[in-house]
Amino acid sequence: GALAVDRDKFSKYVTDKLHSLKNVTFHDEEITKIPDSGITIIATGPLTSDALAKEIQKFSGTDSLHFFDAAAPIVAANSIDMNIVYKKSRYDRGEAAYLNCPMDKGQYDNFAKNLVHAETAQMHGFEKNDVFEGCMPIEVMAARGPKTMLFGPLKPVGLRDPHTGKTPYAVVQLRQDNAAASMYNIVGFQTHLKYGEQKRVFSMIPGLEHARFARYGKMHRNTYMASPEVLNASYESRKQKGLFFAGQMTGVEGYVESAGSGLVAGINAARESLGKDPVTFPKDTALGSMANYVTTTSAKHFQPMNASFALLPGLEGRRIRNKRDRHLKISERGLKDLDKFKTEVLE
């Protein structure tokens, strides 16, 4: 399902909460140097300032790692043709959180053809590295094969059109982007196309013929550390005791994952201040599996990663074919071990 966050309200909420804490002192200034002593958590993300990014690179003693992430376009809600588009969740599960733009085969083929041949923005030398697979530009996906998008963001399965009673050949989904529901994000449509080409090609999507774009898709740098060579699973630096890192700079991908890395780093920073040893969360928990991935995988092939069942160890001695049942058992095991960890280690 969709997790729609109004970025401005969310940011203000977190900021106000922090300022309400009486034991926290704020210094509103740019940090350009890494402290060489004391307990410190550097919690930073993909748009880390150049000065601090260079400091982290220098501290790490490894080659800078980065990829160019792609952001999807956003359209104004009142410019979407609701006579064509319909609101529905896949298989009618839960709240109908998505707007769906149905395509027949002819419309899909024409759209894919134009997408593949559309003009992209000029790429600089440092932009030509591979893009993170999880944020692949839609035009790159389309170029991989005529049906590639049908197994990705345009997958129609479970999205029957109530206007026709049939499942479309392809479906483009829109997800609410703000609390006022005045803007919608085109799901999976990260892109490097020129703005004029985005307007031309994406307006071919049924229901978006007259769409007004509140923001066009674009590419941006996403910087992250060679964490397997720099961090322990406690998110503490191997090089400097008391120095922790958290956020997407560590190689975790996503809002919840970034918050999770901050939770682990915070717990261990607090333990350090109390003279206690750092702790590592169990590998069969989401927090533990993320920490294990970003600190033990091959640095040569390291890429940012979302939390995933693929990172969790399988069920020993058991083979459950049904994925939903298998994931439930893995989740139950993780929660059980997390309770044990909290009781026996954290408390």
Side-chain angles (χ1 to χ4, degrees):
L3 175 62
V5 175
D6 186 302
R7 295 167 181 80
D8 293 332
K9 289 184 178 180
F10 177 73
S11 178
K12 184 178 185 306
Y13 173 82
V14 173
T15 301
D16 290 346
K17 277 287 186 182
L18 292 173
H19 278 285
S20 72
L21 299 175
K22 295 179 181 179
N23 59 342
V24 174
T25 302
F26 280 83
H27 299 275
D28 293 320
E29 59 189 87
E30 181 184 1
I31 301 299
T32 59
K33 297 288 184 181
I34 296 176
D36 56 11
S37 61
I39 300 174
T40 303
I41 300 175
I42 298 178
T44 185
L47 300 181
T48 300
S49 70
D50 289 343
L52 183 56
K54 288 178 181 177
E55 275 290 297
I56 293 173
Q57 179 185 0
K58 179 181 175 182
F59 173 84
S60 301
T62 59
D63 292 335
S64 173
L65 296 178
H66 67 270
F67 62 84
F68 280 77
D69 203 354
I74 294 174
V75 298
N78 60 9
S79 68
I80 300 169
D81 187 347
M82 295 305 297
N83 291 317
I84 297 174
V85 175
Y86 56 96
K87 198 167 188 178
K88 188 180 181 69
S89 61
R90 205 176 293 277
Y91 298 112
D92 295 317
R93 289 175 180 162
E95 179 188 0
Y98 293 89
L99 298 183
N100 299 276
C101 306
M103 286 185 177
D104 60 30
K105 188 177 186 304
Q107 291 169 325
Y108 173 82
D109 290 342
N110 187 41
F111 172 73
K113 178 182 177 182
N114 278 269
L115 184 58
V116 169
H117 293 98
E119 189 176 1
T120 58
Q122 182 179 357
M123 298 180 73
H124 303 288
F126 53 78
E127 290 178 303
K128 295 179 180 177
N129 294 327
D130 291 337
V131 176
F132 174 37
E133 289 283 323
C135 293
M136 184 185 301
I138 189 68
E139 64 273 12
V140 174
M141 187 181 298
R144 291 192 171 186
K147 292 188 176 183
T148 303
M149 292 189 293
L150 294 176
F151 293 93
L154 274 72
K155 183 178 180 180
V157 178
L159 295 170
R160 183 173 56 84
D161 186 345
H163 299 141
T164 64
K166 299 179 180 179
T167 299
Y169 186 78
V171 171
V172 174
Q173 291 196 304
L174 309 176
R175 180 174 58 220
Q176 184 177 324
D177 195 71
N178 64 345
S182 62
M183 296 186 293
Y184 277 79
N185 182 297
I186 308 180
V187 178
F189 270 57
Q190 304 91 343
T191 183
H192 199 36
L193 296 184
K194 286 187 172 182
Y195 289 174
E197 288 289 77
Q198 291 184 44
K199 172 66 176 175
R200 179 182 69 83
V201 178
F202 297 158
S203 293
M204 297 173 67
I205 298 171
L208 301 187
E209 292 88 348
H210 306 291
R212 294 195 313 276
F213 288 81
R215 183 193 73 190
Y216 285 106
K218 59 184 179 180
M219 303 289 288
H220 63 274
R221 190 175 72 177
N222 193 342
T223 307
Y224 60 99
M225 303 164 60
S227 292
E229 298 179 356
V230 180
L231 301 179
N232 293 316
S234 60
Y235 290 98
E236 184 174 24
S237 162
R238 297 179 183 179
K239 184 177 179 180
Q240 182 176 317
K241 187 174 178 58
L243 177 62
F244 298 84
F245 288 86
Q248 288 192 194
M249 178 59 77
T250 65
V252 299
E253 177 72 15
Y255 294 117
V256 176
E257 291 85 344
S258 295
S261 69
L263 178 63
V264 177
I267 287 172
N268 281 306
R271 290 179 66 86
E272 187 119 357
S273 71
L274 297 171
K276 298 181 179 181
D277 292 331
V279 296
T280 300
F281 277 66
K283 294 178 183 178
D284 57 3
T285 64
L287 292 174
S289 66
M290 285 296 303
N292 180 64
Y293 170 79
V294 301
T295 57
T296 65
T297 193
S298 167
K300 182 179 179 181
H301 303 292
F302 182 53
Q303 284 198 73
M305 180 68 75
N306 294 98
S308 167
F309 279 101
L311 298 181
L312 296 164
L315 297 168
E316 292 184 10
R318 302 182 64 184
R319 185 177 181 182
I320 302 176
R321 293 184 178 276
N322 184 282
K323 183 170 72 172
R324 189 180 183 88
D325 293 341
R326 183 170 66 251
H327 286 175
L328 177 60
K329 291 297 182 184
I330 291 174
S331 299
E332 290 173 343
R333 179 192 63 187
L335 289 171
K336 181 179 178 181
D337 284 356
L338 183 60
D339 284 339
K340 182 179 179 181
F341 173 75
K342 286 160 57 180
T343 302
E344 297 181 359
V345 179
L346 292 185
E347 296 177 5

